């Protein structure tokens, strides 16, 4: 079993930021990604807060990330990490294919969408990627929900938004753009019932401003907030370090996650190179 200095879990902005920076000082670095390089930013309709780009969409930025990390292809494995086991001097990382040993494990696994427990059996989607049909309902009223409505509109879908609030926390420009593409926006709503009616679609009963509605949709996106997406960890200790949006909601911007990856790598690099805690890690 090869020994790594750093195993990074997650190839989103945080994991990539860490990889790019740490690779300047350490060679035994391995990054695991279960899906694709770029992480959640892939779904962004229009990114205007990334350095170097006036305006760019999520797919294009992921394509650029992929190109940027091509030279690290030996350091990247497309495997899902299943669990971690911590020991005093190392961590064992179990993936769907093998077990790896590392001194430090950087967890950059992002966030996972919350579910509606009552309807969990329906396995509602959280992202637009594999959405089917023309009439789509988005349940949720945060920026991720609204942003996806713009992408769906661009793909020729009719979008309805059902939110339990009134969008008071979302970016006003984003809301303005959404209001231009759909009039079917229901605020202060409560889902009363949600069923799969046949193989094709869903029936939703909901209440909005004291009025009851019954609507049919081809597909649904559930986007009602997120929580930490942590793999199972046995005996967690200081060899496990969180990075990017998995740390907290406040990190929910690609640029912040990327910067957090770079910052963490710089801090660890300085600390380890100086041999304050450990002087056996060699370049
Ligand atoms: C619709 C939408 C629009 C957005 N718009 C913007 C925007 O305009 N500007 C902006 O800055 N941000 C935007 N964001 C937010 C941005 O995408 C996130 O803040 C950012 O991607 C978080 O980066 P991260 O690296 O922390 O996590 P993520 O991007 O979520 O990356 C985590 C990665 O870890 C992988 N992973 C998870 N578990 C495992 C495992 N067990 N094994 C292996 N791999 C695993 C995932 O596949 C994923 O690739 C948007 C997000 C969405 C969904």
């Amino acid at each position: 079993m090869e020994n790594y200095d750093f195993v990074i879990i997650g190839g989103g902005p945080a994991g990539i930021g860490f990889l790019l920076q740490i690779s300047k000082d350490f060679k035994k670095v391995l990054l695991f990604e279960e899906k694709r390089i770029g992480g959640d930013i892939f779904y962004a309709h229009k990114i205007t807060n990334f350095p170097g780009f006036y305006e760019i969409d999520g797919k294009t930025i992921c394509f650029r990330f992929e190109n940027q990390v091509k030279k690290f292809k030996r350091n990247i494995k497309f495997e899902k990490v299943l669990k971690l086991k911590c020991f005093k001097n190392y961590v064992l990382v179990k993936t769907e294919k093998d077990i790896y040993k590392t001194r430090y494990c950087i967890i950059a696994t992002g966030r996972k969408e919350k579910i509606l427990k009552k309807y969990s059996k329906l396995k509602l989607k959280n992202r637009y990627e594999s959405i089917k049909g023309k009439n789509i309902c988005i349940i949720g009223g945060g920026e991720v929900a609204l942003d996806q409505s713009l992408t769906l509109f661009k793909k020729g879908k009719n979008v309805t938004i059902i939110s339990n609030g009134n969008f008071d926390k979302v970016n006003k420009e984003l809301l303005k753009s959404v209001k231009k593409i759909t009039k079917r926006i229901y605020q202060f709503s409560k889902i009363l019932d949600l069923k799969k009616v046949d193989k094709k679609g869903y029936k939703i009963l909901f209440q909005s401003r004291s009025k009851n509605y019954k609507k049919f949709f081809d597909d649904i996106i559930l986007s009602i907030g997120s929580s930490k997406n942590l793999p199972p960890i046995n005996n967690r200790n200081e060899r496990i370090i969180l990075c990017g949006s998995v740390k907290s909601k406040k990190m929910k911007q690609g640029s912040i996650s990327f910067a957090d990856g770079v910052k963490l790598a710089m801090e660890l690099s300085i600390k380890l190179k100086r041999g304050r805690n450990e002087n056996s890690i060699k370049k």
Side-chain angles (χ1 to χ4, degrees), residues 129-188:
E129 215 169 6
S130 54
I131 218 78
K132 293 195 180 90
K134 175 103 177 150
N135 291 313
I136 311 300
C137 173
I138 298 185
I139 301 176
E143 290 186 0
V144 168
L146 297 188
D147 199 273
Q148 294 200 88
S149 74
L150 296 177
T151 306
L152 286 169
F153 176 75
K154 215 164 136 193
K155 287 174 174 288
K157 314 284 184 192
N158 297 328
V159 183
T160 299
I161 299 171
I162 300 178
S163 165
N164 67 355
N166 65 347
F167 310 108
D168 56 346
K169 290 193 190 120
V170 303
N171 176 280
K172 297 293 166 258
E173 281 302 309
L174 177 62
L175 185 59
K176 216 164 117 187
S177 306
V178 172
K179 283 183 172 166
K180 278 187 199 155
I181 61 124
T182 180
K183 298 277 171 272
R184 293 176 298 273
I185 300 177
Y186 297 89
Q187 301 179 22
F188 301 109

Side-chain angles (χ1 to χ4, degrees), residues 9-15 32-36 38-41 43-50 79-82 108-111 127 144 147-148 229 231 243-246 251-255 257:
I9 311 175
F32 290 109
E33 169 53 53
E34 67 170 314
K35 253 196 245 156
R36 73 166 82 78
D40 233 7
I41 201 125
Y43 302 101
H45 173 251
K46 190 166 80 178
I47 303 158
T48 52
N49 58 359
F50 244 77
E79 291 172 32
K80 181 179 174 140
V81 171
L82 302 179
T109 42
R111 306 191 65 78
R127 298 287 181 262
V144 168
D147 199 273
Q148 294 200 88
N229 179 29
C243 180
S245 65
V246 69
M251 295 269 188
K252 266 175 59 189
Q253 287 293 297
S255 34
S257 273

Side-chain angles (χ1 to χ4, degrees), residues 204-221:
I204 305 184
L205 293 179
F206 65 98
Q207 193 173 64
S208 171
R209 298 183 192 273
S210 314
K211 206 173 155 193
N212 284 1
Y213 296 86
K214 177 167 81 177
K215 304 255 175 214
F216 291 86
F217 297 100
D218 295 324
D219 215 338
I220 295 175
I221 291 183

